[in-house]
Amino acid sequence: RRAAFALALRRSYGRLGMPTAADVDQYFAPARDRAFARALHTLLHEFEWNACDDGRARGLRTPTVVICGDADRLVNRRTHDCFARDVPHARIHVVQEGGHALAEEVPAFVSSAIVNVLREVY
């Protein structure tokens, strides 16, 4: 099972880095708890993945930062484009060669983008 987590984690990264063995261990650690498997199953099967498809994103009024990687294999570019179209005040950042794990691939950039929007609000 750890090998499956390692593969999924490697696939979630773009071309800006690779997860270490310690990263894999930290992602795998909660998998030993049965509640984790139930929570993951619920996330995958009950989470509303279509906020853009049905127009709900248009209702966002809070400061919004969308940070996406152009090499993300899990969230397609259509979703990023939806936020740019439907949430006019959103700040969209596309990280070249970034994957889905941007907080780990480019942590300083992600932190900076979040801090910048918080400074504007507060």
Side-chain angles (χ1 to χ4, degrees):
R1 292 176 19 150
R2 183 184 182 283
F5 272 77
L7 177 62
L9 193 55
R10 280 194 306 273
R11 297 280 301 156
S12 71
Y13 274 62
R15 292 178 286 278
L16 299 176
M18 275 290 125
T20 66
D23 294 330
V24 174
D25 289 341
Q26 288 189 10
Y27 274 89
F28 179 65
R32 297 176 190 140
D33 184 338
R34 288 188 183 275
F36 175 81
R38 285 191 304 274
L40 188 58
H41 181 270
T42 299
L43 170 69
L44 294 174
H45 294 284
E46 295 182 24
F47 184 79
E48 294 289 335
W49 296 97
N50 63 348
C52 286
D53 293 344
D54 65 9
R56 283 181 290 155
R58 290 184 201 112
L60 287 173
R61 299 290 178 254
T62 59
T64 305
V65 178
V66 178
I67 306 169
C68 49
D70 72 346
D72 190 331
R73 295 178 188 101
L74 301 174
V75 176
N76 65 42
R77 184 60 194 227
R78 187 176 65 84
T79 301
H80 310 150
D81 294 344
C82 162
F83 278 97
R85 179 192 68 234
D86 290 354
V87 186
H89 61 275
R91 285 146 184 92
I92 311 292
H93 301 281
V94 178
V95 177
Q96 300 303 310
E97 299 190 357
H100 190 72
L102 292 172
E104 295 167 20
E105 294 176 70
V106 288
F109 178 81
V110 171
S111 296
S112 176
I114 293 169
V115 167
N116 287 341
V117 79
L118 289 173
R119 282 188 179 133
E120 291 177 28
V121 173
Y122 299 104

